[in-house]
Amino acid sequence: MASTTLIYRRAVRTLQAQPVLVRITAAAVVAVLLIDLIALGAGGRSSNASNRTAARDRRSTVVAGGNLTGTFDSASAASSSSSGAGAAGAEPDTQGGASGDNAVLGGGGQGESCPSLPLGDSDKGVTADKIKVVFPWFDISQYTSVSGTSTDEPVEAGGDAINAYVNWVNTHMCLGGRKIDAQVESFNPLNETEMQESCRRWTEDDKAFAVVDSSAWHSYHQKCITKDHHTPLVTSLGLTEQWPQDAAPYLWYTAPTTEETVADWVSWMVETGQLTTSNVIGVVTGGRDEEKVGRAALEHALQHFGLQATFKEIPGVATDIAQSQVPIGLAISDFKQKKVDRLVMGLTALVFTTWAQQADSQEFWPRYELGDWNSTLVVAESLIATQNARAFTGGAVGPTFMHLGEVSADKGGSMTPAEQLCADIWQEANPTAKPIYRAGVAMRWCDNILMFAEGVRRATLNNNGALTRDNWAESMATVQNVAGGMTPAYSFAPGDFSGPMMTKAVELHINEEDLCLSLGDTDAYCLVEIAPYVPMRRF
């Protein structure tokens, strides 16, 4: 939904009024800071197959030709997502218990009896009454003049969201008598030195038990916390399969890995006939080392289905796009000459925006195949459609694990119990705030904070009050078919550190004000759900 990214659009419109040099510089910062689309994948190869057995067991399988095999059906999957159960036939157990089995993060908002346990200083950052946890967030107002929100109401991305969910956990979830001691710190994701020093300080000086992120703690800094300092990290910025294996068992993703995203994405395109042997397919990706992982996954997936494509690599990074201008123009010219009619887009936010500008000027209007890798669905709807709508004359569509394209609650749309819980917590803590965005930053904070707390809850109850980083990780691996707010269901397992289980399909609509406003959007550009949630595809 565009409401999810209203802050981005306001930023863009503000920038459009500035001189060209100011726009280029500020837009680079806004693109990186505002969009969790940093999506800085990570270098490395896929993990050993033996470590991914659990993941394979919980995914469906797509075979060449696009036929799905498995025991699920779309009707039951859709029913489960609308009911909040998170898996076909599963019913949320909102009470939980000593066994540690909540079927909805936070127990669905229901209180539970909390036994008296012998508590003590069982690990770094753990005392008899507190668990020290760092919550890093980026404060856009510190680095640009573009906030995108009025100053008289709480901002989802800020400390307000963190405090709301931490306070709720401390009041309503049984952590054995301990409470989360939140160390909330803003940071600049463009300042690598600052991030490196923060990692060292949090883990060594502050002796934090864990770090819980929304989706901005990026790149190798994830492994600084987890691999180098053996400190748990929960984040919605999923990178490659190899990184959690390298940092095992401390790095946990509430988003799919790059490889999972690509496998589901390409399988969906084949399954739905978006890509066939009669199409002329183009693929465009970035040229950074970490982006090569996604490109390799795309090459492998297309080859698996017997599809050929022309690949283009565009150099440039989010803060310096000058070097990408000429390669973009040449790539578009070549694609146009080859009559490419399906374009699989993998560029990051600012480079994708520059691509759309040039594609529009050269009248290159293929059908865009978008997805969660580098958040191209969100970028297209928020940063591009309002400026270069003609670039999408051929249409834009793709799968997502997030709650995009749904009718907003204030327009009559219904929320799952997990979504509603996150919305209620936010509204109760911030009565003057606007309703929570389904796939917005506050929803991510809700899922990640409640997910971390669920691990603490299970570890504490199942270990007679002892809480350590290792028994927390063991407990996280027991989370199965747990409904969340950002996506219908999460499942982890030993060796499987990425939780989302399902994806659905959405389509970009442009210049359709009546439709978009009826869904709760803010203008004539919106994503619209075209297929319900089904289990993530793999091959």
Side-chain angles (χ1 to χ4, degrees):
M1 300 296 293
S3 57
T4 303
T5 52
L6 176 59
I7 183 173
Y8 309 149
R9 293 184 181 173
R10 288 176 176 170
V12 170
R13 291 166 184 160
T14 302
L15 290 173
Q16 287 174 325
Q18 306 302 317
V20 173
L21 288 178
V22 173
R23 291 205 307 268
I24 292 175
T25 302
V29 177
V30 171
V32 176
L33 292 177
L34 282 182
I35 306 181
D36 11 61
L37 328 162
I38 276 180
L40 291 173
R45 295 168 294 179
S46 295
S47 59
N48 187 289
S50 63
N51 290 327
R52 302 294 297 172
T53 302
R56 289 193 173 93
D57 289 344
R58 66 185 176 86
R59 311 290 190 206
S60 58
T61 301
V62 178
V63 297
N67 297 315
L68 289 176
T69 62
T71 59
F72 76 94
D73 62 74
S74 59
S76 62
S79 173
S80 69
S81 67
S82 64
S83 70
E91 292 295 332
D93 169 15
T94 58
Q95 295 296 330
S99 63
D101 294 328
N102 272 340
V104 177
L105 287 178
Q110 304 296 317
E112 62 179 344
S113 60
C114 195
S116 177
L117 300 171
L119 304 179
D121 302 350
S122 52
D123 200 357
K124 181 182 74 171
V126 178
T127 68
D129 58 355
K130 292 181 180 179
I131 309 160
K132 177 173 282 190
V133 182
V134 172
F135 298 89
W137 66 285
F138 61 83
D139 181 0
I140 183 63
S141 65
Q142 292 187 25
Y143 308 108
T144 76
S145 61
V146 181
S147 68
T149 54
S150 60
T151 58
D152 59 348
E153 61 186 37
V155 180
E156 279 197 5
D160 288 315
I162 298 170
N163 291 329
Y165 296 113
V166 170
N167 290 340
W168 187 90
V169 165
N170 285 340
T171 302
H172 293 85
M173 289 188 70
C174 177
L175 306 185
R178 299 186 181 95
K179 294 185 181 298
I180 294 175
D181 179 14
Q183 183 173 321
V184 182
E185 296 200 13
S186 64
F187 75 100
N188 179 0
L190 298 181
N191 190 329
E192 301 278 339
T193 302
E194 176 189 315
M195 292 182 69
Q196 183 177 359
E197 171 56 23
S198 294
C199 167
R200 187 207 61 77
R201 176 168 54 84
W202 297 339
T203 56
E204 296 179 14
D205 297 347
D206 300 338
K207 293 180 171 53
F209 175 80
V211 177
V212 178
D213 172 46
S214 172
S215 52
W217 195 258
H218 62 82
S219 193
Y220 185 85
H221 304 293
Q222 290 187 356
K223 288 209 290 186
C224 174
I225 290 172
T226 57
K227 182 176 183 290
D228 296 347
H229 291 93
H230 300 165
T231 300
L233 170 65
V234 177
T235 178
S236 296
L237 186 54
L239 302 181
T240 73
E241 291 179 353
Q242 188 63 42
W243 279 51
Q245 301 296 334
D246 291 345
Y250 302 118
L251 179 54
W252 298 81
Y253 291 147
T254 55
T257 64
T258 297
E259 292 90 340
E260 288 177 320
T261 293
V262 169
D264 177 76
W265 184 18
V266 175
S267 299
W268 176 84
M269 288 187 285
V270 172
E271 172 194 337
T272 58
Q274 292 289 321
L275 298 184
T276 69
T277 54
S278 63
N279 292 124
V280 182
I281 304 169
V283 180
V284 58
T285 65
R288 299 170 302 170
D289 289 343
E290 57 268 24
E291 292 180 283
K292 295 183 186 298
V293 174
R295 171 174 172 148
L298 281 167
E299 290 176 335
H300 173 66
L302 292 172
Q303 185 179 47
H304 172 82
F305 289 110
L307 297 172
Q308 295 183 338
T310 299
F311 280 76
K312 297 293 182 181
E313 183 177 287
I314 306 300
V317 295
T319 54
D320 180 12
I321 62 169
Q323 60 180 304
S324 69
Q325 298 279 357
V326 171
I328 284 176
L330 294 174
I332 290 172
S333 296
D334 188 54
F335 280 160
K336 189 174 180 180
Q337 183 179 11
K338 288 182 167 65
K339 301 187 183 303
V340 166
D341 61 359
R342 295 289 187 274
L343 182 61
V344 180
M345 172 56 64
L347 296 177
T348 53
L350 195 58
V351 186
F352 185 8
T353 304
T354 305
W355 175 281
Q357 292 169 350
Q358 292 204 36
D360 188 12
S361 66
Q362 293 191 45
E363 298 186 349
F364 174 59
W365 300 320
R367 185 169 181 81
Y368 279 80
E369 303 295 338
L370 309 178
D372 286 331
W373 187 41
N374 282 344
S375 298
T376 53
L377 280 166
V378 178
V379 176
E381 193 248 354
S382 61
L383 288 181
I384 296 178
T386 54
Q387 302 178 85
N388 304 101
R390 287 206 317 162
F392 299 100
T393 299
V397 66
T400 179
F401 78 100
M402 296 183 289
H403 283 295
L404 298 175
E406 300 173 21
V407 181
S408 65
D410 59 344
K411 292 294 183 178
S414 61
M415 286 189 170
T416 68
E419 285 181 288
Q420 192 63 59
L421 175 61
C422 290
D424 290 345
I425 296 171
W426 169 252
Q427 209 69 51
E428 181 178 356
N430 303 286
T432 64
K434 292 180 180 178
I436 193 173
Y437 301 149
R438 287 181 184 267
V441 177
M443 189 68 81
R444 299 181 189 209
W445 277 120
C446 181
D447 271 16
N448 293 356
I449 291 171
L450 267 59
M451 181 68 77
F452 167 76
E454 180 65 21
V456 172
R457 171 185 173 277
R458 296 183 183 207
T460 304
L461 294 177
N462 293 331
N463 290 280
N464 198 32
L467 174 64
T468 68
R469 287 163 287 173
D470 287 342
N471 70 28
W472 176 87
E474 291 172 0
S475 295
M476 285 289 289
T478 69
V479 172
Q480 294 287 318
N481 295 329
V482 172
M486 184 170 58
T487 194
Y490 294 103
S491 276
F492 298 99
D496 179 14
F497 303 96
S498 172
M501 299 173 60
M502 309 178 81
T503 60
K504 64 176 183 178
V506 296
E507 185 172 34
L508 178 65
H509 286 247
I510 60 176
N511 298 322
E512 296 187 42
E513 186 171 11
D514 289 344
L515 170 64
C516 293
L517 292 180
S518 72
L519 296 175
D521 214 301
T522 59
D523 52 26
Y525 309 91
C526 59
L527 294 170
V528 178
E529 180 179 306
I530 59 173
Y533 278 105
V534 296
M536 285 183 68
R537 304 155 182 88
R538 66 174 181 84
F539 54 85

